[in-house]
Amino acid sequence: MTITDTTPILGRPALATPPRRSRKPVVHVFFGDLAATSLTVATGFLLLSMIPAINWAVFDANWTTGDPATCREGGACWAFIAAKFRFIIFGVYPPDQQWRPLVVMGLIITMVLASLSPRLWGRKLAYGWVAAIAAMLTLMWGGVLGMALVPTSSWGGLPVTLLLALLSLGLGFPFAVFLALGRRSKLPVPRLLSILTIELVRGLPLVGLLFVASILLPLLLPAGWTIDKLGRTLAALTVFAAAYLAEVIRGGLQGLPPGQVEAAKALGIPGWKTVWHIVLPQALQKVIPPLTNTAIVMVKNTSLVLIVGVFDMLSASRVAATDPLWPAPYVESYVFVAAIYFVICFGISNYARWLESRVQARTYR
Amino acid sequence: MNHALTSAAISIAALNKWYGNFQVLKDINLVVAPGERIVICGPSGSGKSTLIRCVNRIEEHQAGSISVNGIELDESLRNLDAIRREVGMVFQHFNLFPHLTVKENCALPQILSRGKRRKEAEEFAMHFLSKVRIPEQAEKYPGQLSGGQQQRVAIARALCMSPRIMLFDEPTSALDPEMVKEVLDTMIALAEDGMTMIVVTHEMGFARKVADRVVFMEGGEIVEINEPNRFFDDPKQPRTRHFLSSIMH
């Protein structure tokens, strides 16, 4: 052995790169052992059993039709969706005014896209949202700037769904923060009030809450007072969202090490500034997954408003399917609406995953 | 009020504290002169951390009095605020704000509690980050730094508030051994600048080198106070001797 020999003591040269993992052969992946084989067979059967559904939905489907009555022969009647598209999306909103909800949806999408990056979160964006919501409601209502007045009873479809989801979560969130902080407060009155509110609302089914808001509330109000039905529905959804969000946020608050508040105290940072700048940002970051969960559930919960007669997207699709000209294409209607819900919820879920990975990139401990 | 008390940096008299029925501090009396460096040592659970955490009311005491630069620590929030302005604190687990960059960690507290402008606060932050010799880490997040670097950031953050007294609560106990020195060096530099310091630590080398007086606590009481050479070479109390023999190896 010469002096220049750099062979390590174990006799093999040191590896400069990690060893490459040998790939398993494909057959091995699918039929390697009993578990893999049974999974492959089961998946195969599942796929085979889906063939009729795929045939119905795609290959035998009628995409266009001249005669609605025969549209459903053989497969799905997607021509129905094409014909009723505007009705499902906009409900009974006056057709000549439907550019207004269209602009509202454009506004919602623009604002949501503008709010995606946490870098832009701040006072300006908050003002932007307030202005945008005011603009949306003005557009929907009308009665000013030469726009015809459209009462909330004529609102409908996707804009109602989006507005209810957005406003119930947006208005519910600040309440939720107060409820969560209240529940952890040392002062007995805020704590008991918070616990009472949260537990009461969580103990009621949303359907019950919606009935209370739409039927009981008008009876309880003094004579001559009226609150719009859509407004009452929104209030019920907001309270519901707030109670659930509050418990999620409380989880984040409890996960925060006490040292954070101690450090803030030692630095002389006033209490509410500590909450706003130190406690909440960290607590909320910890609970992004369950917050997402609540947001998705609330988007879908808005469909329950149909039982108190608010005309959201799901209601519109049901009404569309009752048109006697068409052969009762309920399945097509529901599949279409489900697809829209899926796109919204899948979007929320992916966005949350991205937010989380951004947080992890800073290697939080 | 007598003159010796008002001119003291910190004066603690007849201090008692209980957790439930368990007494953690028993009749503590300690007067710290301006510019003085005190090291507090003692076995774990002896109440040494609790004692310094009472000084800026991270913990509340139930009996006795504490005053800082003549300000009485009482029920008044104004006094508490004034005392927290005088006193900076460094924690065992750093307690940096993980969602803020190093620079923000140092700048934001100045903005929130002193109402400073951002520009001035950031200049101050960079000044003290240079002083603890990590200005190049200013844009990183605490989680990206080593323990020693994080603790130096924590020291810089406390210094940004221009305190006249610094409390150190076991600042090197959570560090890997190779990082202890960089933090101790920072503290020694601070002591050389004339800062009044109370340091709870097990670093006896630091105590011998820097301390004006060493306080030994056990079971919630002060057992012995002495200047370092006498404390280490000729302890008066048997309990002190026993403690020293158990940590010197």
Side-chain angles (χ1 to χ4, degrees):
Chain A
M1 197 181 270
T2 61
I3 296 172
T4 54
D5 187 8
T6 54
T7 312
I9 26 180
L10 288 176
R12 270 200 281 168
L15 291 167
T17 53
R20 194 174 291 179
R21 265 199 165 171
S22 55
R23 270 241 187 107
K24 278 187 188 171
V26 178
V27 180
H28 194 84
V29 172
F30 286 102
F31 299 99
D33 51 22
L34 189 64
T37 312
S38 40
L39 261 179
T40 307
V41 171
T43 312
F45 271 113
L46 202 67
L47 287 175
L48 281 176
S49 70
M50 282 173 70
I51 288 178
I54 294 169
N55 274 339
W56 176 82
V58 182
F59 299 110
D60 299 337
N62 288 308
W63 301 89
T64 53
T65 183
D67 176 17
T70 61
C71 164
R72 242 182 153 197
E73 278 162 16
C77 176
W78 297 122
F80 165 76
I81 300 295
K84 294 288 182 184
F85 183 79
R86 269 180 82 161
F87 185 77
I88 295 177
I89 297 295
F90 295 115
V92 289
Y93 207 88
D96 59 325
Q97 298 289 323
Q98 281 177 2
W99 61 272
R100 281 153 54 180
L102 190 67
V103 172
V104 167
M105 284 196 288
L107 260 176
I108 292 177
I109 292 169
T110 314
M111 284 309 291
V112 166
L113 288 179
S115 313
L116 289 183
S117 168
R119 217 167 295 162
L120 299 174
W121 296 355
R123 203 165 291 174
K124 271 186 202 157
L125 191 65
Y127 291 147
W129 267 106
V130 172
I133 299 268
M136 287 175 204
L137 294 178
T138 313
L139 271 169
M140 289 298 283
W141 240 304
V144 285
L145 302 170
M147 291 186 291
L149 183 80
V150 179
T152 55
S153 53
S154 301
W155 298 13
L158 186 56
V160 166
T161 296
L162 289 178
L163 278 175
L164 282 177
L166 208 63
L167 290 178
S168 65
L169 283 167
L171 296 174
F173 196 82
F175 281 118
V177 169
F178 279 112
L179 285 174
L181 291 170
R183 191 160 189 174
R184 282 172 55 76
S185 167
K186 286 197 186 86
L187 307 169
V189 174
R191 190 178 64 239
L192 286 175
L193 276 178
S194 301
I195 292 178
L196 198 71
T197 313
I198 293 172
E199 295 307 332
L200 201 67
V201 173
R202 287 204 309 167
L204 289 172
L206 178 54
V207 175
L209 218 54
L210 286 170
F211 271 126
V212 168
S214 64
I215 296 163
L216 225 54
L217 206 60
L219 297 179
L220 294 175
L221 285 175
W225 283 43
T226 51
I227 303 177
D228 184 86
K229 189 203 248 172
L230 191 67
R232 296 195 305 259
T233 315
L234 176 62
L237 285 170
T238 303
V239 171
F240 192 77
Y244 279 85
L245 288 171
E247 285 299 278
V248 170
I249 295 169
R250 188 167 69 99
L253 293 174
Q254 267 163 349
L256 197 69
Q260 292 289 311
V261 174
E262 284 172 10
K265 274 186 187 170
L267 290 161
I269 303 174
W272 61 271
K273 284 184 181 171
T274 303
V275 169
W276 183 251
H277 291 276
I278 310 295
V279 173
L280 275 181
Q282 293 186 61
L284 294 181
Q285 273 172 4
K286 278 179 206 292
V287 291
I288 292 173
L291 278 180
T292 318
N293 199 32
T294 310
I296 288 177
V297 167
M298 281 313 294
V299 168
K300 291 182 296 183
N301 272 350
T302 58
S303 61
L304 284 176
V305 300
L306 86 92
I307 61 141
V308 292
V310 171
F311 210 67
D312 78 321
M313 185 170 56
L314 188 61
S315 317
S317 75
R318 278 169 61 95
V319 171
T322 57
D323 187 339
L325 275 179
W326 296 84
Y330 282 102
V331 180
E332 289 86 341
S333 291
Y334 288 150
V335 167
F336 176 66
V337 170
I340 294 180
Y341 274 114
F342 178 78
V343 167
I344 297 171
C345 296
F346 190 63
I348 297 176
S349 149
N350 272 302
Y351 170 61
R353 278 226 308 268
W354 173 77
L355 260 190
E356 260 186 279
S357 68
R358 225 187 85 100
V359 169
Q360 273 160 7
R362 297 176 186 174
T363 59
Y364 280 174
R365 301 181 328 133
Chain B
M1 199 182 280
N2 92 32
H3 184 68
L5 273 180
T6 48
S7 68
I10 299 174
S11 97
I12 298 169
L15 188 74
N16 283 282
K17 177 175 172 60
W18 290 262
Y19 284 132
N21 285 326
F22 178 72
Q23 190 166 13
V24 273
L25 294 176
K26 296 174 192 163
D27 212 24
I28 302 284
N29 293 286
L30 182 68
V31 176
V32 181
E36 199 178 16
R37 276 93 60 170
I38 303 281
V39 164
I40 303 179
C41 61
S44 67
S46 59
K48 49 196 193 307
S49 288
T50 309
L51 172 60
I52 65 165
R53 286 157 64 90
C54 283
V55 171
N56 58 353
R57 193 162 283 174
I58 301 297
E59 308 254 1
E60 249 174 280
H61 62 274
Q62 282 99 26
S65 69
I66 298 177
S67 71
V68 177
N69 286 336
I71 311 160
E72 195 73 30
L73 182 62
D74 51 19
E75 294 309 308
S76 118
L77 286 176
R78 196 186 206 169
N79 279 9
L80 177 61
D81 201 47
I83 285 176
R84 284 180 177 165
R85 273 168 184 260
E86 305 280 313
V87 177
M89 191 164 205
V90 174
F91 299 86
Q92 180 177 2
H93 295 290
F94 329 133
N95 296 353
L96 293 173
F97 305 131
H99 61 302
L100 302 175
T101 62
V102 163
K103 196 211 267 176
E104 271 293 283
N105 260 281
C106 296
L108 189 66
Q110 304 175 57
I111 298 168
L112 296 182
S113 64
R114 299 290 157 81
K116 276 199 202 169
R117 286 172 186 281
R118 173 160 294 275
K119 189 164 170 288
E120 192 194 349
E122 285 184 355
E123 278 169 10
F124 235 66
M126 288 314 295
H127 170 75
F128 283 105
L129 285 173
S130 308
K131 205 152 189 189
V132 299
R133 288 173 288 115
I134 36 174
E136 71 282 359
Q137 311 285 4
E139 302 303 329
K140 286 194 184 165
Y141 287 91
Q144 296 166 309
L145 269 52
S146 75
Q149 289 172 325
Q150 290 190 52
Q151 193 59 297
R152 284 189 281 150
V153 172
I155 294 173
R157 179 177 71 174
L159 291 177
C160 280
M161 311 304 286
S162 320
R164 295 209 274 170
I165 298 163
M166 285 283 283
L167 306 175
F168 292 85
D169 185 4
E170 305 205 31
T172 57
S173 301
L175 297 177
D176 290 333
E178 75 271 22
M179 292 167 188
V180 169
K181 188 171 179 298
E182 56 182 272
V183 171
L184 290 182
D185 285 347
T186 310
M187 290 164 62
I188 291 169
L190 199 57
E192 281 163 357
D193 286 353
M195 177 69 77
T196 309
M197 293 164 69
I198 301 186
V199 184
V200 172
T201 186
H202 294 114
E203 296 294 331
M204 291 303 136
F206 174 82
R208 204 184 263 273
K209 187 168 176 189
V210 175
D212 296 310
R213 285 187 293 162
V214 181
V215 175
F216 173 65
M217 285 182 72
E218 194 181 68
E221 334 176 79
I222 292 181
V223 175
E224 183 165 353
I225 305 182
N226 222 329
E227 52 111 351
N229 285 336
R230 296 257 283 286
F231 180 85
F232 290 110
D233 301 336
D234 183 21
K236 294 280 173 291
Q237 301 290 331
R239 285 199 276 174
T240 317
R241 243 173 274 148
H242 179 252
F243 173 72
L244 287 174
S245 70
S246 68
I247 60 162
M248 302 289 184
H249 18 252

